Amino acid sequence: MSCLTGDEDALRRGIEAANFLAARYNPVGKFIRAWNEDKYGWVIIDCMLNISLLFWASKVTGDPRYKHIAISHAETTMQHGIRPDGSTKHIISFDAENGAYLENFGGQGYSPESSWSRGTAWGLYGFTNTYRHTGDERFLDTAKRIAHYFIAGLPDDQVPYWDFRLGDDERLFRDSSAASISASGLLELTELVAPGEKSLYANAAERILRSLTENYATWEQPEHEAILLHGTGSGNSFIDVSLIYCDYYYVEAIAKLNGWKHRIF
């Protein structure tokens, strides 16, 4: 925010937040841990968007250590958290003492071998940003692979179910937040790929946003506090609700379509 407003206190708070995030880095396992208590070796796909804060901190302070941590975490996530087909794992676990990869958990996804749709969106957007900050083609290739998996898994109305690999227990809840995050990430990706590839990602983003606008919004419910309906936290909690992720990334994506050039992440 300090880059947008020039507010010195916002700059101080942003750097302080980056310091807290960098302090969670495990140098042996080369990852940023997600939780405390007995989960010192747990990493989540969500953090791929968080590391944009570290790239920003390196830029404004001139200290490269922040970006080194961000790149290292992205490499670890790319190696252990992204499958060859572009699907993502929510939680990956390491031995916090020696850094060895142990296993992955379903987390908010359907199962350890499924692909939580909002996690897939976090990965898409996060690796896109990592490429924008580094210029490393490995991260662009990973972002594109995740994007292709996401687009290919969309149902007819372009808003995914809460997991791309659901079982047969009929927990078929949509997640408008996954749609919003992915739309904004796809628009970001559009700006970074070769001219011949741009329409693939831009058209997918516009289809998603059109469906959210026409089928998931609260335009006819002025008493509603949120913009979008039908978000899902997981198969067991926050089912068919409005989520802050839905609204923020929807607004961000619409702003990008209308020429907004600032970037928060």
Side-chain angles (χ1 to χ4, degrees), residues 74-108:
E75 290 174 333
T76 299
T77 304
M78 183 170 59
Q79 178 181 359
H80 297 289
I82 313 301
R83 302 185 184 97
D85 65 356
S87 62
T88 63
K89 305 171 186 178
H90 183 199
I91 302 172
I92 51 179
S93 174
F94 299 85
D95 186 310
E97 184 66 35
N98 61 32
Y101 175 72
L102 299 175
E103 59 185 320
N104 68 280
F105 304 105
Q108 288 173 254

Side-chain angles (χ1 to χ4, degrees), residues 40-225:
Y40 294 112
W42 284 26
V43 176
I44 54 176
I45 190 66
D46 317 42
C47 192
M48 279 306 303
L49 205 55
N50 298 348
I51 62 173
S52 293
L53 174 64
L54 300 179
F55 288 117
W56 168 83
S58 273
K59 181 178 179 180
V60 298
T61 65
D63 188 336
R65 290 177 297 175
Y66 296 105
K67 72 176 181 181
H68 292 162
I69 290 172
I71 291 170
S72 182
H73 177 85
E75 290 174 333
T76 299
T77 304
M78 183 170 59
Q79 178 181 359
H80 297 289
I82 313 301
R83 302 185 184 97
D85 65 356
S87 62
T88 63
K89 305 171 186 178
H90 183 199
I91 302 172
I92 51 179
S93 174
F94 299 85
D95 186 310
E97 184 66 35
N98 61 32
Y101 175 72
L102 299 175
E103 59 185 320
N104 68 280
F105 304 105
Q108 288 173 254
Y110 180 76
S111 74
E113 299 312 314
S114 68
S115 188
W116 177 45
S117 61
R118 187 160 73 242
T120 310
W122 291 137
L124 189 168
Y125 202 157
F127 278 103
T128 298
N129 278 351
T130 302
Y131 172 69
R132 177 162 57 84
H133 287 296
T134 65
D136 189 324
E137 294 286 336
R138 295 175 303 159
F139 299 131
L140 178 61
D141 290 343
T142 300
K144 289 161 65 174
R145 193 164 80 247
I146 298 171
H148 297 169
Y149 178 87
F150 194 100
I151 294 169
L154 291 174
D156 290 343
D157 78 345
Q158 305 301 300
V159 174
Y161 296 103
W162 64 278
D163 195 298
F164 284 115
R165 294 176 177 167
L166 288 170
D168 297 326
D169 62 356
E170 300 181 354
R171 288 191 288 175
L172 301 179
F173 314 119
R174 305 286 180 148
D175 184 15
S176 54
S177 73
S180 297
I181 296 163
S182 66
S184 194
L186 287 167
L187 291 173
E188 203 66 40
L189 187 56
T190 300
E191 299 299 316
L192 300 173
V193 298
E197 299 178 72
K198 291 182 181 299
S199 62
L200 170 64
Y201 306 112
N203 291 344
E206 291 179 19
R207 289 194 302 269
I208 292 169
L209 291 170
R210 184 177 298 110
S211 181
L212 289 173
T213 301
E214 295 176 355
N215 304 315
Y216 288 76
T218 60
W219 313 131
E220 297 181 3
Q221 302 177 48
E223 74 285 355
H224 205 288
E225 294 182 351

